[in-house]
Amino acid sequence: MKNKRWVFSLVALILTAGLVLSGCGGGKNKEGQDSGKANEGSGKKYSIGVMLYNYTDIQGQQIKSYSSYLENNFNVKFNFATVGSSEEDHISGLENLLASGVDAVISGYDTALEQSVSLAEEAGVYYALALGDADESVTSDYFVGGIKQFGENPEELGAKYAEQAYASGVKHIGVTSFPEFAFVDGPSIIKGFADKMAELDTKGEVTVYPTEFHSFAPDNAADAVTKIISEHPEVDAIFGLGSGMDFVYPAILNSAKPDIRLLALGYNDSTEAGIKDGKVIMAGTNNYGEIMANCFAQLYDRLNGKTYPDAKSNGFVNYVMFATPEELQDFKNYVVPEDKSKGPVTVDELKEVMMSFNESATWESLQKLTNRTLEEIKAARN
């Protein structure tokens, strides 16, 4: 493997010196420290870059919040970069992070993956994917891998939505989603939904219509909803896979049939009211605490010269779903609490499955920790 070019080493040295001079405080931080000692572990303070499209939605907010929790308990500082969706913007953002002297990078996406890994390797920087599984043909000693953000089998997620839809009594279901090239798990989730519905619907009373695909623009999602209503005026529910709460739900409410019910991949501030009044049958979101814990554990171990002997290319985390006000409240209490020491993965739990703190830790034990359901997380906190 190639060593860091001298310019990266020089910048990293300067940044490290600045961090040492600025100092770091001890004691109990406001988000809580499980171990009682801040920045326990290696004496070096590592810099980890994070690349996302934005940090304003629940995804960006929770990733930043959990990163802050990690900063309070490990020798690490996160450097957040906002990148565009094009390959050119992604590579430009990565190059800027590498030039800043980061020791590792967490990318939300597999954009220009082969080129990104090559650049990271050339700089001697570890690289990981947070929001998607990695192409296993892309290999490097500096590539940690990816994460299956919808569990080990996305079809099972679709099946759970189908069970809830069937129990709710809807009969005519439209489906919307981001394009397959941009949402590779979408077809599996849709298949799991359709297969489970066919299994449950022994009398043949339920129809699931062909998927309408839309881009990342709200107007395009609204066009997909309008097309479903126009072609299937009897539709009484829509399974919205592409930003269901942010894009599809407003489109339904502003449509000619605002009484259509929604099953959504997605969550925002309107979810609670939608569930309470029955307009939202089920919603869900990624467990970003589990995702960041999974990525961070592997990167931090690598930076400390540790590698799981049983490591695989892609890890997995549980996708959180809620269909009742009580489940939604549990989600708020145990998955996205302000105090992350009461959230999905605590520092003490994480250290137990990191080789930097436990030589007997395994990659499989990390996956087990970061794949807990909402019920399992709640039980661990009570």
Side-chain angles (χ1 to χ4, degrees):
M1 293 296 113
K2 302 176 183 178
N3 292 323
K4 284 189 177 182
R5 291 174 293 183
W6 70 270
V7 63
F8 295 117
S9 298
L10 178 60
V11 174
L13 179 62
I14 293 171
L15 290 178
T16 301
L19 289 167
V20 171
L21 288 173
S22 65
C24 57
K28 183 84 170 179
N29 290 283
K30 67 178 182 179
E31 288 198 53
Q33 290 179 0
D34 304 70
S35 63
K37 181 181 179 183
N39 301 322
E40 185 178 346
S42 167
K44 174 178 169 56
K45 193 177 187 75
Y46 298 115
S47 175
I48 299 179
V50 181
M51 303 172 66
L52 293 177
Y53 295 151
N54 70 77
Y55 295 90
T56 57
D57 58 8
I58 183 175
Q59 173 178 285
Q61 292 170 356
Q62 288 301 312
I63 285 176
K64 265 197 168 182
S65 181
Y66 194 81
S67 297
S68 177
Y69 176 54
L70 293 172
E71 285 180 337
N72 290 336
N73 290 276
F74 293 91
N75 294 331
V76 63
K77 177 67 178 177
F78 288 90
N79 185 352
F80 300 98
T82 302
V83 297
S85 58
S86 71
E87 291 193 358
E88 293 78 9
D89 288 344
H90 182 90
I91 293 301
S92 176
L94 174 59
E95 288 176 334
N96 289 337
L97 282 175
L98 296 176
S100 76
V102 295
D103 301 291
V105 171
I106 296 174
S107 172
Y109 326 103
D110 64 354
T111 308
L113 181 59
E114 189 170 0
Q115 183 181 359
S116 297
V117 171
S118 178
L119 288 171
E121 177 182 318
E122 184 179 356
V125 169
Y126 292 103
Y127 193 87
L129 297 181
L131 303 173
D133 49 325
D135 182 344
E136 295 187 10
S137 68
V138 179
T139 60
S140 166
D141 288 346
Y142 285 91
F143 185 37
V144 171
I147 292 179
K148 296 180 179 181
Q149 57 181 323
F150 298 105
E152 287 188 90
N153 183 1
E155 288 189 21
E156 293 179 359
L157 174 64
K160 291 178 181 178
Y161 272 90
E163 290 171 348
Q164 196 65 39
Y166 186 78
S168 74
V170 294
K171 303 295 184 182
H172 307 282
I173 306 170
V175 182
T176 66
S177 178
F178 291 135
E180 293 183 24
F181 74 86
F183 186 17
V184 295
D185 290 314
S188 295
I189 296 172
I190 294 168
K191 182 179 185 303
F193 182 87
D195 288 351
K196 175 56 73 170
M197 188 60 74
E199 176 188 323
L200 295 170
D201 180 32
T202 57
K203 296 180 180 181
E205 298 175 334
V206 179
T207 302
V208 179
Y209 301 116
T211 303
E212 293 294 336
F213 295 98
H214 61 82
S215 71
F216 296 96
D219 288 347
N220 197 242
D223 290 341
V225 170
T226 298
K227 184 178 180 181
I228 290 173
I229 295 173
S230 175
E231 295 183 355
H232 311 287
E234 70 281 4
V235 64
D236 57 1
I238 290 178
F239 185 17
L241 281 73
S243 290
M245 289 304 306
D246 290 334
F247 290 178
V248 181
Y249 192 46
I252 290 174
L253 295 179
N254 293 320
S255 74
K257 292 195 65 176
D259 57 335
I260 291 174
R261 302 175 73 188
L262 176 68
L263 300 128
L265 295 189
Y267 168 83
N268 61 25
D269 291 341
S270 65
T271 304
E272 183 171 9
I275 287 177
K276 286 181 176 179
D277 64 22
K279 291 184 177 180
V280 176
I281 299 172
M282 174 178 273
T285 187
N286 298 110
N287 192 324
Y288 297 107
E290 289 185 343
I291 287 172
M292 285 300 292
N294 194 309
C295 277
F296 173 77
Q298 297 187 73
L299 288 174
Y300 194 83
D301 276 353
R302 294 288 187 94
L303 290 169
N304 282 298
K306 310 285 186 179
T307 303
Y308 294 112
D310 60 333
K312 297 180 182 179
S313 298
N314 289 298
F316 46 89
V317 299
N318 182 64
Y319 188 86
V320 189
M321 294 162 285
F322 24 83
T324 68
E326 292 75 21
E327 289 173 342
L328 184 56
Q329 188 58 52
D330 283 343
F331 165 75
K332 291 181 178 181
N333 291 342
Y334 303 109
V335 178
V336 293
E338 183 176 352
D339 183 351
K340 298 305 177 188
S341 68
K342 299 178 180 178
V345 182
T346 70
V347 165
D348 285 342
E349 290 173 335
L350 191 57
K351 287 181 178 180
E352 281 296 312
V353 297
M354 293 173 65
M355 293 193 70
S356 296
F357 302 93
N358 178 7
E359 286 291 344
S360 63
T362 63
W363 181 89
E364 193 61 42
S365 66
L366 172 65
Q367 307 317 309
K368 183 177 180 180
L369 175 65
T370 60
N371 196 44
R372 292 189 298 192
T373 65
L374 176 57
E375 292 77 14
E376 290 171 334
I377 296 168
K378 180 180 179 180
R381 299 291 165 263
N382 293 308

